[in-house]
Amino acid sequence: MSATATSRGLTASLVRGAVTSPFKRAGRPGAALPADRLVVRDVRIAPGPLASYSRICGFSESGPLPLTYPHVLGFPLAMRLMTGRSFPLPVVGLVHTWIEITRHRAPHLTEAIELTVYADELSPHRRGTEVTMATEARSGGELVWESRSGYLSRHSTRGASPAAEAGLPALPALPVAELPAVAEWRLPGDLGRRYGAVSGDRNPIHLYPLTARLFGFPRAIAHGMWTVARCLAESAEPGRISYVRADFRAPVLLPATVTYAVDGAGTAFQLRSGGRVHLTGSTARDGAQPRS
């Protein structure tokens, strides 16, 4: 099966999610995650979609497989699971809050891989309910790549402080030390639509100002996975990065001008604009231990 074939049912999943979301209530007491593990075997990486992804994220089209690309391959499976009847959260309006990726071995572009996606954890969040989704890639039974991601369904939280109810931290947020600026990027207003076309993630919050306003955003916001991938592509020797942890701290409203910053060791990075930090992250390279 080609990587393109794994996304054939993605449009159907998006439609199903739009239809079923109004009937799901996030924060329902006793809600449980489905035990299903969705598996697709013999997935092949199609050169055309990979090249389109590499271009929009800033990776070399002739380089190794980007660390973030298996997440794109697994996204149709995640959507199928999250739009199923037994999934407790409405998929429309879900916000990506964090991701952690570990590459155990660099997959060859020509080898077949097996993808497994499952919902791992459901937990309360000060702004609603967060689900942790896991994606695993295997080759010949060997785990070569894995990720864990947090997705937030925003809703009123019973017993929360007025600040939390308003979407603000109950306590003052700790300041984030600014890292040295390395590059400045101008992001166009249609970035969400362009990235959605190559990744399959057409969540309405990323597409148009009107659809984003339906979920409380004044304008469309950039995909969190695009910001992570773009930061990795800008780093020195991105093909050697085998681990990344990224936390999405504030949405990037499109269009925007953002600053990419990195520490002297090249392991910690930020994306910011003005006085707001949108993304913080850390990386490790082949043979190095991830930062705690």
Side-chain angles (χ1 to χ4, degrees):
M1 179 180 293
S2 71
T4 303
T6 65
S7 64
R8 287 176 182 168
L10 186 53
T11 300
S13 292
L14 291 168
V15 172
R16 184 169 61 247
V19 171
T20 60
S21 286
F23 301 97
K24 295 185 178 183
R25 183 167 63 88
R28 177 172 52 85
L33 290 172
D36 312 49
R37 286 179 174 244
L38 300 185
V39 180
V40 174
R41 297 176 175 85
D42 197 28
V43 175
R44 303 281 178 170
I45 298 172
L50 175 58
S52 297
Y53 176 84
S54 297
R55 280 194 300 272
I56 197 168
C57 295
F59 291 104
S60 169
E61 293 182 41
S62 59
L65 186 70
L67 181 66
T68 48
Y69 194 63
H71 179 87
V72 173
L73 299 181
F75 182 71
L77 293 179
M79 282 297 299
R80 191 191 311 172
L81 190 61
M82 290 192 290
T83 57
R85 288 187 177 182
S86 59
F87 193 78
L89 303 179
V91 71
V92 174
L94 279 181
V95 178
H96 203 174
T97 49
W98 59 271
I99 187 166
E100 187 174 50
I101 298 174
T102 302
R103 187 192 68 202
H104 302 285
R105 173 178 67 76
H108 302 296
L109 297 182
T110 57
E111 72 180 302
I113 59 176
E114 176 184 284
L115 291 173
T116 302
V117 174
Y118 57 95
D120 190 48
E121 185 180 0
L122 195 67
S123 56
H125 186 281
R126 63 185 174 84
R127 295 186 182 181
T129 301
E130 187 177 75
V131 61
T132 299
M133 301 295 295
T135 303
E136 300 171 350
R138 288 178 169 81
S139 179
E142 174 194 6
L143 182 65
V144 297
W145 181 101
E146 60 182 317
S147 75
R148 287 167 58 83
S149 293
Y151 294 92
L152 173 65
S153 179
R154 299 188 300 173
H155 60 83
S156 177
T157 52
R158 184 174 300 176
S161 67
E165 291 283 6
L168 301 173
L171 296 173
L174 295 175
V176 177
E178 284 197 356
L179 300 178
V182 173
E184 186 176 86
W185 305 324
R186 293 185 178 181
L187 313 184
D190 66 348
L191 177 61
R193 298 192 293 278
R194 292 169 54 205
Y195 181 78
V198 302
S199 68
D201 185 353
R202 293 183 174 88
N203 189 318
I205 62 177
H206 302 303
L207 303 182
Y208 299 96
L210 178 60
T211 56
R213 281 197 291 271
L214 295 175
F215 301 97
F217 298 99
R219 302 197 302 275
I221 66 174
H223 290 75
M225 285 307 299
W226 180 88
T227 63
V228 174
R230 185 67 186 88
C231 288
L232 295 182
E234 189 75 14
S235 66
E237 298 182 284
R240 291 189 56 217
I241 296 175
S242 57
Y243 170 86
V244 64
R245 163 75 191 215
D247 291 275
F248 308 110
R249 301 175 63 90
V252 178
L253 300 176
L254 300 172
T257 299
V258 295
T259 298
Y260 166 69
V262 65
D263 69 353
T267 56
F269 61 91
Q270 295 174 347
L271 196 68
R272 61 178 188 256
S273 62
R276 168 170 280 194
V277 177
H278 301 286
L279 171 70
T280 60
S282 61
T283 61
R285 298 180 180 273
D286 294 328
Q289 293 295 320
R291 298 176 63 177
S292 59

mmCIF file of all heavy atoms in Angstrom, residues 21 90-95 154 203-206 208-218:
data_model
loop_
_atom_site.group_PDB
_atom_site.id
_atom_site.type_symbol
_atom_site.label_atom_id
_atom_site.label_comp_id
_atom_site.label_asym_id
_atom_site.label_seq_id
_atom_site.Cartn_x
_atom_site.Cartn_y
_atom_site.Cartn_z
ATOM 1 N N SER A 21 -19.331 15.589 15.725
ATOM 2 C CA SER A 21 -18.808 16.453 16.785
ATOM 3 C C SER A 21 -19.894 17.160 17.590
ATOM 4 O O SER A 21 -19.793 17.241 18.824
ATOM 5 C CB SER A 21 -17.827 17.485 16.200
ATOM 6 O OG SER A 21 -16.604 16.863 15.860
ATOM 7 N N PRO A 90 -15.137 15.696 20.682
ATOM 8 C CA PRO A 90 -15.441 16.179 19.326
ATOM 9 C C PRO A 90 -14.146 16.542 18.610
ATOM 10 O O PRO A 90 -13.317 17.286 19.136
ATOM 11 C CB PRO A 90 -16.308 17.416 19.577
ATOM 12 C CG PRO A 90 -15.954 17.860 20.964
ATOM 13 C CD PRO A 90 -15.576 16.639 21.731
ATOM 14 N N VAL A 91 -13.953 16.003 17.420
ATOM 15 C CA VAL A 91 -12.689 16.221 16.729
ATOM 16 C C VAL A 91 -12.596 17.631 16.148
ATOM 17 O O VAL A 91 -11.495 18.196 16.027
ATOM 18 C CB VAL A 91 -12.484 15.157 15.629
ATOM 19 C CG1 VAL A 91 -13.438 15.379 14.471
ATOM 20 C CG2 VAL A 91 -11.042 15.148 15.135
ATOM 21 N N VAL A 92 -13.733 18.231 15.793
ATOM 22 C CA VAL A 92 -13.707 19.578 15.235
ATOM 23 C C VAL A 92 -13.270 20.562 16.320
ATOM 24 O O VAL A 92 -13.853 20.614 17.401
ATOM 25 C CB VAL A 92 -15.088 19.964 14.677
ATOM 26 C CG1 VAL A 92 -15.093 21.421 14.230
ATOM 27 C CG2 VAL A 92 -15.459 19.060 13.512
ATOM 28 N N GLY A 93 -12.225 21.322 16.029
ATOM 29 C CA GLY A 93 -11.723 22.300 16.983
ATOM 30 C C GLY A 93 -10.642 21.791 17.910
ATOM 31 O O GLY A 93 -10.132 22.557 18.735
ATOM 32 N N LEU A 94 -10.263 20.512 17.816
ATOM 33 C CA LEU A 94 -9.163 20.013 18.639
ATOM 34 C C LEU A 94 -7.893 20.806 18.352
ATOM 35 O O LEU A 94 -7.574 21.110 17.205
ATOM 36 C CB LEU A 94 -8.893 18.531 18.348
ATOM 37 C CG LEU A 94 -9.788 17.487 19.005
ATOM 38 C CD1 LEU A 94 -9.319 16.093 18.602
ATOM 39 C CD2 LEU A 94 -9.799 17.613 20.518
ATOM 40 N N VAL A 95 -7.159 21.136 19.418
ATOM 41 C CA VAL A 95 -5.932 21.928 19.287
ATOM 42 C C VAL A 95 -4.738 21.068 19.697
ATOM 43 O O VAL A 95 -4.738 20.470 20.780
ATOM 44 C CB VAL A 95 -5.994 23.189 20.168
ATOM 45 C CG1 VAL A 95 -4.689 23.975 20.071
ATOM 46 C CG2 VAL A 95 -7.167 24.073 19.749
ATOM 47 N N ARG A 154 -11.253 22.073 24.047
ATOM 48 C CA ARG A 154 -11.503 23.167 24.986
ATOM 49 C C ARG A 154 -12.971 23.197 25.412
ATOM 50 O O ARG A 154 -13.865 23.116 24.578
ATOM 51 C CB ARG A 154 -11.100 24.504 24.354
ATOM 52 C CG ARG A 154 -9.624 24.573 23.995
ATOM 53 C CD ARG A 154 -9.218 25.957 23.551
ATOM 54 N NE ARG A 154 -9.964 26.389 22.375
ATOM 55 C CZ ARG A 154 -9.892 27.608 21.863
ATOM 56 N NH1 ARG A 154 -9.135 28.523 22.437
ATOM 57 N NH2 ARG A 154 -10.579 27.930 20.780
ATOM 58 N N ASN A 203 -8.243 20.812 9.497
ATOM 59 C CA ASN A 203 -9.016 21.319 10.624
ATOM 60 C C ASN A 203 -9.414 22.760 10.308
ATOM 61 O O ASN A 203 -8.580 23.563 9.879
ATOM 62 C CB ASN A 203 -8.151 21.265 11.892
ATOM 63 C CG ASN A 203 -8.930 21.574 13.155
ATOM 64 O OD1 ASN A 203 -9.757 22.467 13.204
ATOM 65 N ND2 ASN A 203 -8.624 20.845 14.209
ATOM 66 N N PRO A 204 -10.682 23.135 10.499
ATOM 67 C CA PRO A 204 -11.135 24.489 10.130
ATOM 68 C C PRO A 204 -10.365 25.619 10.803
ATOM 69 O O PRO A 204 -10.321 26.727 10.252
ATOM 70 C CB PRO A 204 -12.608 24.488 10.574
ATOM 71 C CG PRO A 204 -13.019 23.063 10.568
ATOM 72 C CD PRO A 204 -11.795 22.285 10.966
ATOM 73 N N ILE A 205 -9.747 25.365 11.955
ATOM 74 C CA ILE A 205 -9.015 26.440 12.634
ATOM 75 C C ILE A 205 -7.791 26.881 11.847
ATOM 76 O O ILE A 205 -7.231 27.945 12.116
ATOM 77 C CB ILE A 205 -8.596 26.038 14.063
ATOM 78 C CG1 ILE A 205 -7.651 24.835 14.044
ATOM 79 C CG2 ILE A 205 -9.814 25.750 14.922
ATOM 80 C CD1 ILE A 205 -7.150 24.422 15.415
ATOM 81 N N HIS A 206 -7.378 26.089 10.856
ATOM 82 C CA HIS A 206 -6.179 26.409 10.076
ATOM 83 C C HIS A 206 -6.482 27.011 8.704
ATOM 84 O O HIS A 206 -5.555 27.416 8.003
ATOM 85 C CB HIS A 206 -5.341 25.141 9.858
ATOM 86 C CG HIS A 206 -4.901 24.461 11.103
ATOM 87 N ND1 HIS A 206 -4.162 25.087 12.074
ATOM 88 C CD2 HIS A 206 -5.114 23.188 11.541
ATOM 89 C CE1 HIS A 206 -3.923 24.231 13.055
ATOM 90 N NE2 HIS A 206 -4.496 23.088 12.757
ATOM 91 N N TYR A 208 -9.376 29.339 7.183
ATOM 92 C CA TYR A 208 -9.834 30.690 6.845
ATOM 93 C C TYR A 208 -10.172 31.449 8.127
ATOM 94 O O TYR A 208 -10.497 30.838 9.153
ATOM 95 C CB TYR A 208 -11.091 30.628 5.959
ATOM 96 C CG TYR A 208 -10.902 29.925 4.649
ATOM 97 C CD1 TYR A 208 -11.232 28.581 4.515
ATOM 98 C CD2 TYR A 208 -10.388 30.603 3.544
ATOM 99 C CE1 TYR A 208 -11.063 27.920 3.308
ATOM 100 C CE2 TYR A 208 -10.209 29.958 2.334
ATOM 101 C CZ TYR A 208 -10.547 28.613 2.216
ATOM 102 O OH TYR A 208 -10.366 27.965 1.009
ATOM 103 N N PRO A 209 -10.129 32.791 8.094
ATOM 104 C CA PRO A 209 -10.523 33.563 9.279
ATOM 105 C C PRO A 209 -11.928 33.217 9.761
ATOM 106 O O PRO A 209 -12.170 33.101 10.962
ATOM 107 C CB PRO A 209 -10.428 35.015 8.800
ATOM 108 C CG PRO A 209 -9.400 34.985 7.707
ATOM 109 C CD PRO A 209 -9.601 33.665 7.017
ATOM 110 N N LEU A 210 -12.867 33.034 8.822
ATOM 111 C CA LEU A 210 -14.246 32.753 9.203
ATOM 112 C C LEU A 210 -14.357 31.421 9.938
ATOM 113 O O LEU A 210 -15.003 31.329 10.992
ATOM 114 C CB LEU A 210 -15.148 32.744 7.968
ATOM 115 C CG LEU A 210 -16.633 32.402 8.228
ATOM 116 C CD1 LEU A 210 -17.244 33.421 9.185
ATOM 117 C CD2 LEU A 210 -17.402 32.366 6.915
ATOM 118 N N THR A 211 -13.741 30.361 9.396
ATOM 119 C CA THR A 211 -13.835 29.051 10.048
ATOM 120 C C THR A 211 -13.071 29.032 11.363
ATOM 121 O O THR A 211 -13.466 28.333 12.302
ATOM 122 C CB THR A 211 -13.307 27.943 9.121
ATOM 123 O OG1 THR A 211 -11.956 28.240 8.722
ATOM 124 C CG2 THR A 211 -14.177 27.824 7.877
ATOM 125 N N ALA A 212 -11.983 29.793 11.451
ATOM 126 C CA ALA A 212 -11.232 29.858 12.714
ATOM 127 C C ALA A 212 -12.034 30.582 13.794
ATOM 128 O O ALA A 212 -11.986 30.208 14.978
ATOM 129 C CB ALA A 212 -9.893 30.555 12.490
ATOM 130 N N ARG A 213 -12.788 31.611 13.394
ATOM 131 C CA ARG A 213 -13.574 32.371 14.377
ATOM 132 C C ARG A 213 -14.667 31.522 15.014
ATOM 133 O O ARG A 213 -15.082 31.791 16.147
ATOM 134 C CB ARG A 213 -14.177 33.617 13.723
ATOM 135 C CG ARG A 213 -13.175 34.756 13.563
ATOM 136 C CD ARG A 213 -13.876 36.077 13.308
ATOM 137 N NE ARG A 213 -14.513 36.128 12.000
ATOM 138 C CZ ARG A 213 -13.915 36.549 10.890
ATOM 139 N NH1 ARG A 213 -12.661 36.988 10.944
ATOM 140 N NH2 ARG A 213 -14.566 36.575 9.734
ATOM 141 N N LEU A 214 -15.114 30.495 14.313
ATOM 142 C CA LEU A 214 -16.123 29.608 14.878
ATOM 143 C C LEU A 214 -15.610 28.900 16.128
ATOM 144 O O LEU A 214 -16.407 28.434 16.955
ATOM 145 C CB LEU A 214 -16.547 28.560 13.842
ATOM 146 C CG LEU A 214 -17.263 29.085 12.598
ATOM 147 C CD1 LEU A 214 -17.505 27.956 11.616
ATOM 148 C CD2 LEU A 214 -18.582 29.756 12.976
ATOM 149 N N PHE A 215 -14.272 28.841 16.277
ATOM 150 C CA PHE A 215 -13.668 28.145 17.413
ATOM 151 C C PHE A 215 -12.857 29.089 18.300
ATOM 152 O O PHE A 215 -11.989 28.664 19.055
ATOM 153 C CB PHE A 215 -12.792 26.993 16.906
ATOM 154 C CG PHE A 215 -13.571 25.998 16.084
ATOM 155 C CD1 PHE A 215 -13.576 26.079 14.708
ATOM 156 C CD2 PHE A 215 -14.339 25.029 16.703
ATOM 157 C CE1 PHE A 215 -14.315 25.188 13.949
ATOM 158 C CE2 PHE A 215 -15.080 24.133 15.952
ATOM 159 C CZ PHE A 215 -15.071 24.215 14.569
ATOM 160 N N GLY A 216 -13.148 30.380 18.196
ATOM 161 C CA GLY A 216 -12.573 31.340 19.128
ATOM 162 C C GLY A 216 -11.268 31.975 18.708
ATOM 163 O O GLY A 216 -10.662 32.711 19.498
ATOM 164 N N PHE A 217 -10.809 31.734 17.477
ATOM 165 C CA PHE A 217 -9.573 32.344 17.003
ATOM 166 C C PHE A 217 -9.910 33.498 16.055
ATOM 167 O O PHE A 217 -10.755 33.346 15.176
ATOM 168 C CB PHE A 217 -8.699 31.319 16.282
ATOM 169 C CG PHE A 217 -8.258 30.176 17.150
ATOM 170 C CD1 PHE A 217 -8.924 28.964 17.115
ATOM 171 C CD2 PHE A 217 -7.193 30.317 18.016
ATOM 172 C CE1 PHE A 217 -8.538 27.908 17.916
ATOM 173 C CE2 PHE A 217 -6.786 29.267 18.818
ATOM 174 C CZ PHE A 217 -7.457 28.062 18.774
ATOM 175 N N PRO A 218 -9.254 34.650 16.201
ATOM 176 C CA PRO A 218 -9.581 35.793 15.341
ATOM 177 C C PRO A 218 -9.196 35.585 13.876
ATOM 178 O O PRO A 218 -9.806 36.169 12.989
ATOM 179 C CB PRO A 218 -8.794 36.945 15.961
ATOM 180 C CG PRO A 218 -7.672 36.293 16.714
ATOM 181 C CD PRO A 218 -8.225 34.991 17.205
#
